[in-house]
Amino acid sequence: ESADALTNRVRFGVETGRLRGTSLLAEAVWLEDVVDDYNSTTNGELGYPVVADPGDIATVNRFALTNESLEGTTLTLGRQRIVLDDARFVGNVVWRQNEQTFDGLRARVARNGWAADMTYANQVNRIFGPDSAVGEWEGDMVLANVSREFDWGKVVGFGYLLDLDDAAAASTDTFGLKLQGSAPLGSVTGTYTAAVARQSDRGANPADFDESYYLLELGVALDRTSVALGHEVLGGDGTVAFSTPLATLHAFQGWADKFLATPAAGMEDNYVKVGYALGARGPFENLSALGFFHQFRADAGGADFGDELDVMLVARLARMTYTLKYASYRAEGLFTDTDKLWLSMDFAF
């Protein structure tokens, strides 16, 4: 059956002032499903498609001490939000009602154009909630991200070492390099993003593999309009593929969420991205639109995985944000045709 989900989230907390550069943040989240004709993965409604937003839970979202007593340095100990770069490898899955957080120690240092972000975490608290069998992953996670700003753009080097007790197949070593920037091209602005990474098995991972990741995105921006062409490849050999288990996966390879796990044959995603900033319109302070068209293929063998159209309109008015979002995936040899529609309202105090 088609799924219908109406969910509420209230996120609330308190942050103290600083004492010798140290502050405490405590934050909770309460989730409720008003209409639960959907499979949240924990509510037992297996006859519906998955909408991975658990209901009727209250839990600790963040609880951490932060110290900023050293110049250009921020230390955070406890349960915290971690988003690295564009969240392609490490993120908080902000789109879901229950965000992903990490338990660990994080150090961020920024000096003279350099920035280093280093984390050791022993638990990741996933979007499925504390009642889920896969709601928490324990293990040893080292997240290292170092960047340097230049006039022409930004260079990022990263290494993510995951040894997960509860998800051995997701235990990997990933090392990569990313370049991102923009430059004037006559009357328009050119933008570019290029990334390459290599991933291998780690710890108790039963597989023995070594796969690559590539990304190239080129675009132009003129006034309120931006257009970009992208080519992203996650390597696969038909048995195991490059994975990004800590990413904000919804933001990549289509909003229909058909490819949250990389197919064993890998993934080649060719896409067009179009953005338009409408500015103030009617009662709204700002309106913006974003659209994608994806064509999916297997990295190994070149099988057609279908295509997808995504569109989103965001309107802001004072403290309110309204979002209309639609995804339409058309299958070809994998999965089934899928249409998803979201309407959301957010209020920030």
Side-chain angles (χ1 to χ4, degrees):
E1 297 184 39
S2 296
D4 291 291
L6 176 57
T7 60
N8 294 332
R9 176 185 70 197
V10 178
R11 188 182 290 160
F12 53 95
V14 62
E15 185 174 13
T16 70
R18 290 187 178 88
L19 176 63
R20 296 183 179 179
T22 302
S23 60
L24 173 66
L25 170 68
E27 182 180 74
V29 62
W30 170 63
L31 304 174
E32 182 182 4
D33 48 1
V34 181
V35 176
D36 60 356
D37 294 336
Y38 70 101
N39 178 9
S40 72
T41 74
T42 58
N43 62 1
E45 298 290 346
L46 303 181
Y48 294 101
V50 171
V51 178
D53 290 320
D56 298 324
I57 66 169
T59 187
V60 175
N61 193 57
R62 291 186 291 169
F63 190 85
L65 284 169
T66 299
N67 180 274
E68 297 178 332
S69 59
L70 300 176
E71 182 181 356
T73 302
T74 302
L75 303 175
T76 306
L77 174 65
R79 181 162 297 182
Q80 57 193 284
R81 174 186 298 136
I82 300 178
V83 180
L84 299 179
D85 299 325
D86 60 355
R88 186 63 185 96
F89 291 89
V90 180
N92 65 329
V93 198
V94 65
W95 177 249
R96 299 257 64 103
Q97 292 285 54
N98 187 42
E99 75 172 326
Q100 178 170 275
T101 59
F102 297 81
D103 296 351
L105 175 62
R106 183 184 187 187
R108 287 171 286 171
V109 182
R111 292 177 185 170
N112 302 320
W114 287 88
D117 195 320
M118 313 289 288
T119 299
Y120 169 76
N122 61 6
Q123 181 167 295
V124 53
N125 310 290
R126 307 179 72 221
I127 64 169
F128 305 103
D131 297 332
S132 171
V134 294
E136 299 173 349
W137 281 349
E138 295 182 352
D140 296 304
M141 290 161 273
V142 177
L143 312 174
N145 185 290
V146 180
S147 63
R148 177 72 162 90
E149 295 275 5
F150 297 93
D151 293 339
W152 46 266
K154 182 179 181 181
V155 180
V156 181
F158 54 87
Y160 306 131
L161 284 61
L162 313 181
D163 191 354
L164 302 171
D165 300 336
D166 303 309
S171 297
T172 55
D173 287 340
T174 304
F175 297 93
L177 185 68
K178 182 178 180 180
L179 310 176
Q180 188 170 32
S182 62
L185 299 173
S187 60
V188 302
T189 299
T191 60
Y192 69 89
T193 302
V196 60
R198 196 72 176 170
Q199 185 177 89
S200 59
D201 56 285
R202 180 177 177 84
N205 194 322
D208 182 8
F209 71 97
D210 194 357
E211 294 292 344
S212 297
Y213 168 88
Y214 306 100
L215 169 67
L216 178 63
E217 181 182 295
L218 300 175
V220 293
L222 175 63
D223 296 329
R224 298 181 176 185
T225 305
S226 63
V227 179
L229 301 177
H231 175 71
E232 185 181 46
V233 177
L234 286 76
D237 60 9
T239 302
V240 65
F242 194 105
S243 65
T244 58
L246 302 184
T248 298
L249 292 165
H250 175 78
F252 304 93
Q253 297 177 348
W255 298 337
D257 290 339
K258 305 303 289 187
F259 300 99
L260 298 180
T262 311
M267 165 64 75
E268 177 183 315
D269 178 12
N270 297 299
Y271 62 87
V272 180
K273 177 172 64 174
V274 180
Y276 185 70
L278 291 83
R281 289 289 189 277
F284 300 109
E285 297 173 356
N286 186 53
L287 282 171
S288 62
L290 179 65
F292 282 89
F293 181 74
H294 297 266
Q295 288 186 326
F296 304 115
R297 300 181 65 86
D299 174 53
D304 190 351
F305 285 163
D307 56 60
E308 181 170 327
L309 175 66
D310 301 323
V311 292
M312 179 172 66
L313 181 66
V314 178
R316 293 184 172 87
L317 174 62
R319 296 179 179 271
M320 294 295 300
T321 301
Y322 304 90
T323 303
L324 168 66
K325 194 171 185 178
Y326 175 69
S328 179
Y329 170 75
R330 291 298 168 258
E332 186 66 44
L334 189 68
F335 302 130
T336 57
D337 292 351
T338 301
D339 294 280
K340 294 188 178 184
L341 174 68
W342 299 266
L343 299 170
S344 69
M345 296 181 293
D346 294 86
F347 177 81
F349 291 94

